[in-house]
Amino acid sequence: MAQGPLIDPNLTYATVTDKISSITLTRKTSLYWLLGVFISFALVMLLMLCVTVLLIKGVGIWGLNIPVGWGFDITNFVWWIGIGHAGTLISAVLLLLHQKWRTSINRFAEAMTLFAVACAGMFPLIHVGRPWLAYWLFPYPNTMGLWPQFRSPLLWDVFAVSTYATVSLLFWYVGLIPDLATLRDRAEGKFAQVAYGVLAMGWRGSARHWHRYETAYTLLAGLAAPLVVSVHTIVSWDFAVSVIPGWHTTIFPPYFVAGAVYSGFAMVLTLAIPLRQLYGLKDYITDRHLDNMAKVMLATGLIVAYGYLVEGFMIWYNGNVYEMSMLLDRMTGAYAPAYWLLITCNVVIPQLLWRPSVRANPWMLFVISIVINIGMWLERFIIIVTSLHHDFLPSSWGMFYPTRWDIGTYVGTIGLFLSLLFLFIRFLPVISIFETRELLSEEKEEGA
């Protein structure tokens, strides 16, 4: 299929700046935005209710039991961390590889990373039972000489996720500085001028400023790139270092990383397609962007499918009776419908992406991306619950049934994610202004 342009060649520097900045500064707040904020805020109130009841009554309000001590909470944690991967990959890795097609989607992908990590970080905090003592996880000097258990995967998660969030935040903010200065100079209200001026940190666009910016941005990209691999690898060790059948496997780190990029790109497509439709950004987020993201999604989906195949083969090859029993239970037991649904969502349906006509249809991509996100959530659920609900002793077997508080907390985090996203769209440039202008210049030079 012939590759289309990365940006409409009829655009100019002025129209690029006017269009992107107007979404934040001058465009009237749309009814869609107000409706979305209202629904999202209602879901945030649901989240606050669920967390408040949890703090009062304890984790017993969830469907956790013996032997299923992990349920929706850890499932949601792994799922949200995975969604946050695409932002770092698009921003840092593609920047280092000089892939120009990242330009129009990197800004909101980076924001998506931060909001997803915020949702993810909440679950281990409330799952420990006494979140007001969560600071015990940090190695701070104390009079009693107590130190964290550094061999605990929970502690590994604390360091991995906090490092990932910090570097991603710095990377996102540094990339925003030139655009914040543009908004400062174009804003009409005094408050907006002061707010954007403070955030722009005195940016004037001098050669010295640009030199320092490029140096800092490249260094942060170099720091962020290994985090794409390291964070979800460490999350996978929560399972792989155990002796539970279905978890104790060396394939989990690459398998989890591929799955994270898979679900992350699916979420970027889920957000990018309505965004470009509602705000008229088809000149910036072009069909070529959607096509490239669909190809990445197809490639990582094939890696995930290969992971399923290798996992099954190794269980058969090693002949461990507990592992074989676990796999048979996944395929034919009480959770078999969820297992086969995840295979359908993650392996079968994404094969439609081989067809150029499907990749060229935004709304088919939108549906497929939602299906993949559902499938990746089911994958985490199946990995966690089916490995726990049949313990080594039949007398310890049990089922996990989510309660209304499990479901309410999960739905509430979706509301938190969307609320932060709506606020970002309203008050900050959703597409990088200066990078889009650089891309426009490069495209015109190549066209000439």
Side-chain angles (χ1 to χ4, degrees):
M1 185 177 69
Q3 288 285 356
L6 285 172
I7 190 170
D8 188 341
N10 296 319
L11 295 173
T12 64
Y13 291 163
T15 55
V16 166
T17 306
D18 289 342
K19 180 65 175 288
I20 299 175
S21 62
S22 67
I23 297 174
T24 301
L25 296 176
T26 60
R27 184 167 179 163
K28 187 178 179 181
T29 303
S30 68
L31 183 62
Y32 297 109
W33 188 90
L34 292 173
L35 180 62
V37 168
F38 176 78
I39 296 173
S40 302
F41 186 72
L43 295 179
V44 173
M45 294 300 101
L46 174 63
L47 174 63
M48 293 182 66
L49 172 65
C50 293
V51 173
T52 301
V53 174
L54 174 74
L55 295 180
I56 295 172
K57 295 188 175 182
V59 294
I61 66 170
W62 290 341
L64 305 179
N65 54 47
I66 300 300
V68 186
W70 285 358
F72 265 37
D73 45 331
I74 304 300
T75 300
N76 298 333
F77 165 68
V78 180
W79 186 71
W80 278 118
I81 286 290
I83 284 176
H85 264 56
T88 306
L89 180 71
I90 289 173
S91 298
V93 178
L94 296 185
L95 173 67
L96 296 173
L97 295 177
H98 302 288
Q99 296 296 308
K100 293 187 293 184
W101 64 271
R102 65 178 281 280
T103 299
S104 296
I105 58 176
N106 68 315
R107 177 64 54 75
F108 69 86
E110 294 167 16
M112 182 195 78
T113 292
L114 297 174
F115 306 152
V117 170
C119 294
M122 189 184 70
F123 283 101
L125 183 66
I126 62 178
H127 183 258
V128 295
R130 294 184 290 175
W132 49 90
L133 299 178
Y135 66 92
W136 287 5
L137 292 168
F138 292 93
Y140 69 100
N142 59 87
T143 56
M144 300 181 66
L146 297 175
W147 293 94
Q149 172 55 276
F150 287 100
R151 289 177 291 180
S152 168
L154 178 61
L155 194 65
W156 306 344
D157 286 340
V158 169
F159 282 102
V161 174
S162 60
T163 302
Y164 184 59
T166 302
V167 174
S168 297
L169 176 62
L170 288 173
F171 188 60
W172 176 70
Y173 178 66
V174 168
L176 265 173
I177 290 175
D179 287 356
L180 290 170
T182 300
L183 296 181
R184 173 200 64 199
D185 298 337
R186 298 174 71 91
E188 296 180 357
K190 186 65 177 177
F191 178 79
Q193 291 175 353
V194 172
Y196 289 126
V198 170
L199 292 173
M201 299 175 65
W203 177 272
R204 290 293 181 270
S206 66
R208 179 180 296 178
H209 285 184
W210 278 111
H211 173 70
R212 290 175 176 172
Y213 167 82
E214 294 288 349
T215 302
Y217 202 53
T218 305
L219 285 174
L220 286 170
L223 286 173
L227 293 176
V228 175
V229 176
S230 68
V231 174
H232 225 58
T233 297
I234 292 173
V235 170
S236 75
W237 288 346
D238 291 356
F239 309 96
V241 296
S242 72
V243 293
I244 303 295
W247 290 2
H248 188 63
T249 170
T250 55
I251 198 177
F252 263 28
Y255 171 44
F256 268 52
V257 170
V261 176
Y262 189 35
S263 60
F265 267 88
M267 183 59 78
V268 171
L269 274 173
T270 304
L271 300 176
I273 292 171
L275 185 68
R276 78 175 202 145
Q277 180 68 32
L278 295 175
Y279 286 91
L281 297 175
K282 294 182 180 180
D283 294 342
Y284 302 84
I285 305 174
T286 64
D287 291 341
R288 185 172 169 186
H289 288 99
L290 303 185
D291 184 68
N292 286 344
M293 285 191 283
K295 288 177 180 177
V296 173
M297 210 160 60
L298 177 60
T300 50
L302 292 174
I303 297 173
V304 170
Y306 176 72
Y308 296 154
L309 183 63
V310 169
E311 184 181 26
F313 172 78
M314 293 309 296
I315 290 173
W316 168 80
Y317 188 73
N318 68 24
N320 185 298
V321 63
Y322 298 107
E323 295 274 359
M324 295 183 72
S325 174
M326 179 278 305
L327 183 61
L328 186 64
D329 178 62
R330 282 185 184 177
M331 293 181 172
T332 61
Y335 295 102
Y339 175 80
W340 292 111
L341 181 58
L342 87 85
I343 294 296
T344 303
C345 293
N346 290 346
V347 179
V348 178
I349 293 178
Q351 301 311 309
L352 294 171
L353 297 174
W354 285 103
R355 297 183 61 85
S357 58
V358 173
R359 298 198 304 271
N361 188 320
W363 295 111
M364 286 193 69
L365 286 180
F366 180 71
V367 172
I368 292 173
S369 65
I370 291 178
V371 166
I372 290 171
N373 276 316
I374 294 172
M376 291 308 297
W377 188 92
L378 287 171
E379 179 203 285
R380 277 55 182 253
F381 178 79
I382 289 296
I383 287 175
I384 292 170
V385 174
T386 59
S387 293
L388 291 175
H389 87 111
H390 276 189
D391 206 343
F392 290 98
L393 297 174
S395 59
S396 301
W397 291 1
M399 292 289 292
F400 170 79
Y401 298 103
T403 66
R404 57 181 177 174
W405 303 110
D406 286 292
I407 298 171
T409 305
Y410 172 53
V411 174
T413 56
I414 295 177
L416 175 61
F417 176 81
L418 292 176
S419 296
L420 293 171
L421 188 71
F422 280 121
L423 292 175
F424 163 73
I425 292 172
R426 181 63 184 83
F427 295 109
L428 292 172
V430 71
I431 295 175
S432 176
I433 298 173
F434 79 95
E435 287 186 292
T436 304
R437 291 173 59 156
E438 288 180 354
L439 177 64
L440 182 63
S441 175
E442 293 173 3
E443 291 284 294
K444 287 185 174 181
E445 287 179 3
E446 291 180 2

